[in-house]
Amino acid sequence: MRSLRETIWAIHQEESSIDQVLQRLQESAKAALQQANINFTYALPNSSFYLSPAQTLHLYRLLKEALNNSVKHAKCKQIEVKLIENVKNVLLRYTDDGIGFPKEENLRLGYGLNNIKERAKLAGFTLHIEASAGYILEIQIPIKVQK
């Protein structure tokens, strides 16, 4: 039922800011973060970039998967999301301070990481994943400027 509500929320937004996506993510994960004693922070500059409904849904779901991986597997205490803008793209950088995962596991991605890759591809995002010391997920998003 929650997944359906998330989908309805995303598609009923004409345009969404990345801040709205992260606020919704933080709200939905609040109990899991508190139970695991993980601090979740994000730093966003004032931005004129907005996401389409499809981008909103894919970004929300792939960040939710990343957060789920951090909570379940990383043994982390801090998750941080930063946004770096340029003229045509936004780089969203998700990091945790957990244990990462071995390089050989990078070759054999689990369902969660495959879902992240697939959602990024469907949304037209460029994705980079690093996980040797902590977990770093970089998402390059082509975004339109609000009119």
Side-chain angles (χ1 to χ4, degrees):
M1 187 61 115
R2 182 184 295 178
S3 181
L4 180 58
R5 278 191 221 120
E6 292 165 354
T7 301
I8 291 169
W9 167 78
I11 62 175
H12 277 92
Q13 306 290 321
E14 189 172 314
E15 292 181 323
S16 298
S17 69
I18 292 174
D19 187 52
Q20 289 171 304
V21 173
L22 291 173
Q23 285 176 8
R24 181 109 180 161
L25 180 70
Q26 189 172 29
E27 280 175 32
S28 74
K30 187 175 184 176
L33 290 166
Q34 285 176 342
Q35 185 176 4
N37 197 28
I38 298 172
N39 186 36
F40 177 84
T41 59
Y42 58 92
L44 305 176
N46 289 335
S47 177
S48 58
F49 290 110
Y50 287 82
L51 302 162
S52 71
Q55 286 177 315
T56 298
L57 182 60
H58 288 304
L59 181 63
Y60 176 79
R61 292 257 172 90
L62 75 83
L63 286 173
K64 188 173 180 182
E65 187 67 52
L67 194 139
N68 187 50
N69 288 346
S70 294
V71 169
K72 284 187 172 181
H73 308 295
K75 300 178 183 172
C76 67
K77 294 298 171 198
Q78 176 71 34
I79 298 171
E80 184 175 34
V81 178
K82 290 184 179 178
L83 187 73
I84 303 162
E85 296 183 30
N86 68 34
V87 176
K88 295 182 182 179
N89 298 296
V90 167
L91 178 67
L92 189 117
R93 191 164 202 261
Y94 173 103
T95 59
D96 75 31
D97 65 350
I99 60 172
F101 50 84
K103 286 188 184 232
E104 56 271 8
E105 200 170 321
N106 282 328
L107 301 174
R108 181 180 57 76
L109 299 177
Y111 290 119
L113 291 175
N114 277 322
N115 288 340
I116 288 171
K117 286 179 69 174
E118 185 62 26
R119 286 203 174 274
K121 182 179 175 183
L122 289 170
F125 304 158
T126 304
L127 186 68
H128 173 74
I129 300 173
E130 222 176 283
S132 54
Y135 179 54
I136 300 170
L137 177 67
E138 293 182 335
I139 308 159
Q140 192 167 4
I141 307 169
I143 297 187
K144 63 181 179 175
V145 177
Q146 187 180 33
K147 300 168 186 155

